[in-house]
Amino acid sequence: MSRSRTSTPAQPAGPDRARRAFLRGAFLAGRADTRPEPLRPPWTDDGRVLDACTRCGDCLRACPEQILITGEGSFPEVDFGAGSGECTFCGACAVACRSEVFEPDRDPPWTTRAVISETRCLAVAGVHCEVCRDACGETAVRFRPRLGGPPHPELDPDRCTGCGACATPCPADALTLQAEAA
Ligand code: SF4
Ligand code: SF4
Ligand code: SF4
């Protein structure tokens, strides 16, 4: 697994800014205040997607892991419950996009990180489980020995890439991927 990209995104093809501004305004007006910001593809964020995305679907079709879905307003979102459940940071979505949505120089590509729910985690409830550690290729989940029960998972946010590989295998749905404030 790597954060590196294999090629450079295509250049924008004559964006219709007035139409996009209209679409963005209409979309934001309809977004419920309580809804969390959706996860956007790597090298993007909510603002860039709503500003520049033409909703063509090219990035969705390009994703070999099939984790990009048509979200609210027909804008692209990441769904780690779809496809392979993991972003490999291959860059295919960015290469396929013909608009100004992706920022190829963004490093790291996003602020998305795994979050462990202590109320759902089996290990915290006293059941031996280290599935997330085994799934993580970045050794971002560690278990320290603990007296009186099984070790609890601890996430190292500096190592976590937000790839999502740990979320699907978790038997308790205790792992979610969330975008941190930039
Ligand atoms: S970087 Fe690759 S795996 Fe990740 S969302 Fe884009 S196309 Fe899919
Ligand atoms: S895989 Fe899920 S239930 Fe198991 S230790 Fe990790 S977070 Fe907890
Ligand atoms: S999202 Fe999960 S699997 Fe991916 S680096 Fe972070 S802890 Fe590891």
Side-chain angles (χ1 to χ4, degrees), residues 1 80 86 112-114 132 135-141 155-156 159-167 175-177:
M1 187 186 314
F80 286 109
E86 177 180 0
T112 300
R113 298 290 180 269
C132 48
C136 178
E138 305 292 337
T139 59
V141 188
L155 186 92
D156 182 346
R159 299 187 73 89
C160 178
T161 63
C163 71
C166 56
L175 283 149
T176 55
L177 279 295

Side-chain angles (χ1 to χ4, degrees), residues 41-43 59 62-65 67-68 78 86-94:
W43 302 287
C59 58
C63 178
E65 307 302 325
I67 59 168
L68 298 182
V78 175
E86 177 180 0
C87 178
T88 62
F89 302 101
C90 67
C93 49

Side-chain angles (χ1 to χ4, degrees), residues 12 38 53 59 76 78 93 96 114 121 123 144 146:
C53 176
C59 58
V78 175
C93 49
C121 175
R144 296 187 200 281
R146 198 175 62 86

Side-chain angles (χ1 to χ4, degrees), residues 2 8 28 57 69 76 80 83 90 92 96 117 119-120 123 126-127 129 139-140 142 159 161 170:
S2 168
T8 303
L28 287 175
I69 64 166
F80 286 109
C90 67
S117 165
T119 59
R120 297 190 68 95
V127 179
C129 176
T139 59
R142 295 174 184 171
R159 299 187 73 89
T161 63
C170 173

